[in-house]
Amino acid sequence: MKLHRTVVAAALFGVVALVGSVAPATAQRDRDGQQRWIDVVNRTNVTIREFYMTDVDTNGWGDDRLGQSVVPPGQQMRVMPTARQRARAYCMYDMKIVFENNRSVERRQVNLCTASEIVCQGNACTAR
């Protein structure tokens, strides 16, 4: 009987662990089932100081999406569109990355519904 309880407890723990590992990925999808976030990956030797992201029908860059944070060389950070942007259900976004040395890179028409990261390496930033 004791062995049976141990097996049941282990199976229950496995189910709880599985549900816990699935929940965050599901929680990051919008009502239409699309994921709308981007991992900003810094493979340069200069810190990313600012990151702007706006849907393609909005003029201007809006607020720096990193806020008080930065993305140091070799690090990455997940960035989410604003609640207003997500509610509009756009997939296409324009992005602007500003480095600590004031160099900036713009990427237009990045599809957040298919791309999961924007990788900055050398002098370029590429959505993947």
Side-chain angles (χ1 to χ4, degrees), residues 48-81:
I48 295 173
R49 185 182 67 210
E50 300 166 28
F51 182 79
Y52 299 91
M53 177 170 60
T54 187
D55 60 67
V56 293
D57 286 340
T58 299
N59 293 325
W61 288 111
D63 295 330
D64 171 17
R65 303 297 299 141
L66 297 181
Q68 298 298 315
S69 300
V70 296
V71 185
Q75 300 294 313
Q76 68 183 42
M77 179 181 291
R78 181 156 295 169
V79 178
M80 308 288 283

Side-chain angles (χ1 to χ4, degrees), residues 52-121:
Y52 299 91
M53 177 170 60
T54 187
D55 60 67
V56 293
D57 286 340
T58 299
N59 293 325
W61 288 111
D63 295 330
D64 171 17
R65 303 297 299 141
L66 297 181
Q68 298 298 315
S69 300
V70 296
V71 185
Q75 300 294 313
Q76 68 183 42
M77 179 181 291
R78 181 156 295 169
V79 178
M80 308 288 283
T82 65
R84 180 179 163 274
Q85 289 170 331
R86 292 177 74 151
R88 292 176 67 182
Y90 278 74
C91 285
M92 302 305 284
Y93 283 78
D94 294 333
M95 299 176 186
K96 180 178 178 182
I97 301 100
V98 181
F99 293 87
E100 195 171 60
N101 61 5
N102 293 322
R103 184 174 68 86
S104 66
V105 176
E106 293 182 14
R107 286 293 158 257
R108 302 286 179 167
Q109 306 243 340
V110 174
N111 188 335
L112 284 190
C113 296
T114 59
S116 60
E117 60 184 13
I118 186 160
V119 179
C120 296
Q121 190 168 354

